[in-house]
Amino acid sequence: MTTPSPRAFVPFVSVDQMMKLINNVGLAPMMQGICDRIEADFRRWPLFDKTPRVASHSEVGVIELMPTSDGEVYGFKYVNGHPDNTADGLQTVTAFGLLSDVATGYPVLFSEMTILTALRTAATSALAARVLAPKGSKVMAMIGNGAQSEFQSIAMQAIVGIEEVRLYDIDPAATAKCASNLEASGLRVVSCASAEDAIMGAQIITTCTADKQYATILTDNMIGAGVHINAIGGDCPGKTELAGDILHRADIFVEYPEQTRIEGEIQQLAPDHPVTEFWEVLTGTAKGRTDARQITLFDSVGFAIEDFSALCYVREAIEGTDFFTPLDMLADPDDPRDLFGMVKRAAS
Ligand code: NAD
């Protein structure tokens, strides 16, 4: 047996280690840290390689690769979306991801991302709401109380300052689970019997439902002037949450238009319907909320740069800790051109 050199080892963050990292840093501070990182990366948006994610669709779901690079570090995420999985005791979304050094192409981090995706999605929602929602927003309706919902609620509390979350799900068991998980959060939690009830008095409405079809979670008459809508669940072709009329009344903010036009709520609109790229609001080249009666919509589908930012956050956070395992993942022969000899020597 040959002993791999230290270069062969890639830090791997397992599910167990990710949970330990989160509990060590604290969920809210970690989402705040990821949010800061996403904001910083969005501010240098033009630097990044960007492409709509590479999706492989089936009757029951989608499997996607989400790559990007800032020229120094390359990253990608593997992620699926299978709305019927929960009926079989499986999750709708699972993911893992990787960062590499652009200079050598060598991976520098390999990580679970099912949990990390929930943190980065919540951090992105909260960043958008902090910029676009009415100032002083205190109440959020949370429609769809599945895996993402508690993370969304706590990020909005930590980053936007909401004090009350109003929950609704077609499955009351999901609402009960979410309410119970948020018990110690300090949020006022109100469980609602309908989406109409959930949006009462809410300045922010988050929709995060999973259904592989054009669903209508919010109808036009439910949306009053001045609210901010954070639409997360519609994130692949044929899967939307909002009635088309709402889109015509709202100012729409997106991550990467080339991807959102395929996957977001705006797939219901003409391909030239005006949208604003959210990064431009952050850099001040585009306007965000300009008046109190404006309806703002963050049509979130999840973009590769958010995963890149989250992975970079984790790479820094695990330094000097034992929240990772060195993984023997790269063949590293003594003579880089003698891969064959390395394999042969292992047999002797
Ligand atoms: P989940 O399956 O754990 O939860 C979805 C919940 O929606 C379930 O509790 C279900 O009962 C509920 N639901 C379905 N139809 C509903 C309706 N008509 N009204 C109210 N509730 C309804 O899924 P999840 O992991 O929480 O993800 C939710 C959605 O968000 C998925 O579609 C996923 O693809 C998407 N997502 C988007 C991003 C992003 O960056 N935009 C990131 C992660 C997940």
Side-chain angles (χ1 to χ4, degrees):
M1 278 294 285
T2 53
T3 312
S5 82
R7 286 176 309 184
F9 290 108
V10 178
F12 169 61
V13 182
S14 69
V15 172
D16 186 53
Q17 288 159 335
M18 183 62 76
M19 294 192 293
K20 287 187 173 129
L21 175 66
I22 294 168
N23 288 322
N24 186 265
V25 175
L27 177 61
M30 186 153 159
M31 288 196 288
Q32 177 73 68
I34 293 172
C35 178
D36 293 344
R37 185 89 210 199
I38 292 171
E39 180 170 4
D41 285 339
F42 271 36
R43 284 176 184 273
R44 53 189 197 116
W45 187 269
L47 241 164
F48 282 88
D49 275 351
K50 292 174 285 295
T51 181
R53 61 185 147 201
V54 185
S56 173
H57 294 280
S58 67
E59 286 290 303
V60 290
V62 62
I63 294 176
E64 299 164 329
L65 290 179
M66 302 172 69
T68 190
S69 168
D70 69 354
E72 289 184 11
V73 178
Y74 169 92
F76 80 84
K77 178 169 84 171
Y78 165 102
V79 62
N80 77 301
H82 285 68
D84 296 335
N85 268 5
T86 48
D88 299 324
L90 300 173
Q91 291 182 98
T92 300
V93 176
T94 65
F96 64 86
L98 189 136
L99 289 179
S100 295
D101 176 17
V102 168
T104 61
Y106 271 38
V108 293
L109 179 73
F110 180 35
S111 178
E112 93 75 42
M113 287 195 78
T114 306
I115 301 171
L116 191 60
T117 293
L119 270 70
R120 78 81 155 119
T121 305
T124 306
S125 295
L127 174 62
R130 200 188 71 208
V131 174
L132 299 172
K135 290 282 160 269
S137 292
K138 295 289 175 218
V139 181
M140 176 174 81
M142 181 74 233
I143 301 177
N145 301 153
Q148 311 299 320
S149 58
E150 297 90 346
F151 297 92
Q152 292 285 324
S153 304
I154 291 170
M156 290 288 181
Q157 178 189 30
I159 295 164
V160 183
I162 65 154
E163 294 171 356
E164 177 175 320
V165 62
R166 301 176 64 80
L167 307 177
Y168 171 67
D169 194 294
I170 40 167
D171 179 358
T175 302
K177 177 259 338 174
C178 184
S180 158
N181 281 339
L182 291 175
E183 236 167 45
S185 64
L187 283 165
R188 204 161 47 247
V189 180
V190 183
S191 300
C192 302
S194 66
E196 287 80 356
D197 186 8
I199 63 171
M200 293 287 286
Q203 297 91 25
I204 300 172
I205 302 171
T206 294
T207 54
C208 192
T209 64
D211 207 343
K212 205 172 188 317
Q213 62 168 352
Y214 293 108
T216 308
I217 309 300
L218 298 178
T219 54
D220 191 32
N221 61 347
M222 290 165 72
I223 302 303
V227 296
H228 173 69
I229 306 168
N230 183 38
I232 300 171
D235 62 352
C236 80
K239 180 168 166 243
T240 57
E241 295 181 304
L242 308 186
D245 293 345
I246 298 173
L247 307 182
H248 287 285
R249 288 168 61 210
D251 286 307
I252 304 172
F253 299 83
V254 301
E255 292 141 315
Y256 183 55
E258 287 83 342
Q259 181 177 312
T260 314
R261 293 212 188 264
I262 300 168
E263 302 178 351
E265 296 301 321
I266 57 170
Q267 64 186 280
Q268 304 180 63
L269 299 175
D272 58 351
H273 188 95
V275 297
T276 302
E277 296 189 41
F278 181 59
W279 70 272
E280 292 199 279
V281 181
L282 291 175
T283 56
T285 46
K287 286 193 165 59
R289 173 172 290 274
T290 48
D291 83 76
R293 294 189 58 75
Q294 185 181 8
I295 298 167
T296 49
L297 165 63
F298 182 51
D299 185 2
S300 158
V301 291
F303 188 59
I305 295 175
E306 296 148 27
D307 299 309
F308 176 94
S309 310
L311 285 169
C312 290
Y313 174 93
V314 168
R315 187 183 177 195
E316 275 174 26
I318 60 171
E319 258 177 48
T321 73
D322 56 0
F323 300 136
F324 68 94
T325 309
L327 209 60
D328 178 17
M329 203 169 117
L330 302 176
D332 192 30
D334 298 337
D335 172 351
R337 289 170 299 183
D338 193 19
L339 192 61
F340 184 86
M342 180 182 166
V343 175
K344 279 203 74 179
R345 276 192 295 281
S348 57

